[in-house]
Amino acid sequence: MELNTVEKFLLMARHPEKARSLISDLHVHHGILGLIFLELSVKEAFVLDKKQNLELHEDAYADDPLVNDVIKLIRKSRRKRKLRDWIIRLSSKASGYKWVYLQRMEEKGLVQIEHKKFLGFIPYRRVRLKAPQLRSDLLYVLKQAVMG
């Protein structure tokens, strides 16, 4: 089973036993956007000009529809913005991106999304890891890569 970087990040951000995240949602959302821009950078889909403004290449394209959504939003913009400004501007959409990635992970059998109601009418969702060993393996590989 091949996981992309955002899915690996979301796995590492979840608590191995409890149905909660180890880091705040703000950090998760900014991390997701950062990884989307990292993927675009690896594919050389954009460059930064002298003023650090982001300029997309004409042929910028990604396999992931969510990344293509980000590309479309950048293309629609009339003015040039810095990468930091794009992350701030897109942070309101990052929550939706997170749930799309978690939905995909549920289809792969990595997480379980529980739909619940508070006081009987306020809906919320809880995400539980189905494969905590995979999270441990990812953390071990990451530690090995960092430590040597």
Side-chain angles (χ1 to χ4, degrees):
M1 169 182 349
E2 189 64 31
L3 299 174
N4 63 27
T5 53
V6 176
E7 291 170 340
K8 289 177 185 177
F9 171 71
L10 288 173
L11 271 177
M12 289 189 281
R14 303 302 308 170
H15 191 282
E17 293 147 9
K18 299 178 181 177
R20 64 178 176 87
S21 181
L22 291 171
I23 57 178
S24 72
D25 277 344
L26 178 71
H27 292 104
V28 170
H29 297 166
H30 284 89
I32 289 170
L33 292 171
L35 289 169
I36 287 173
F37 281 110
L38 177 67
E39 181 181 333
L40 289 173
S41 175
V42 167
K43 292 185 177 192
E44 297 179 359
F46 68 87
V47 293
L48 299 177
D49 65 8
K50 291 181 182 179
K51 294 182 180 180
Q52 299 298 314
N53 289 327
L54 188 127
E55 293 181 9
L56 278 176
H57 292 298
E58 294 291 324
D59 58 346
Y61 178 78
D63 299 329
D64 190 351
L66 292 179
V67 178
N68 283 329
D69 183 40
V70 171
I71 291 171
K72 287 177 190 173
L73 288 171
I74 294 171
R75 281 206 175 112
K76 274 196 235 178
S77 175
R78 285 182 265 150
R79 49 183 295 238
K80 294 182 180 182
R81 291 184 170 85
K82 295 181 181 185
L83 184 59
R84 177 191 57 162
D85 296 333
W86 277 115
I87 290 176
I88 292 168
R89 189 169 179 84
L90 294 171
S91 63
S92 62
K93 294 184 180 290
S95 176
Y97 295 158
K98 175 181 82 170
W99 286 106
V100 170
Y101 279 113
L102 286 171
Q103 200 71 26
R104 289 182 194 170
M105 292 168 64
E106 184 179 38
E107 291 168 3
K108 292 179 181 180
L110 300 172
V111 297
Q112 175 186 1
I113 300 175
E114 302 169 359
H115 297 272
K116 296 188 172 200
K117 291 189 179 185
F118 178 70
L119 296 177
F121 65 93
I122 301 171
Y124 68 98
R125 296 173 280 196
R126 304 285 275 170
V127 179
R128 222 175 261 288
L129 285 182
K130 277 186 168 179
Q133 184 60 37
L134 181 60
R135 179 187 180 275
S136 300
D137 294 343
L138 284 172
L139 288 173
Y140 178 77
V141 169
L142 183 63
K143 284 179 185 175
Q144 292 300 317
V146 171
M147 297 298 183

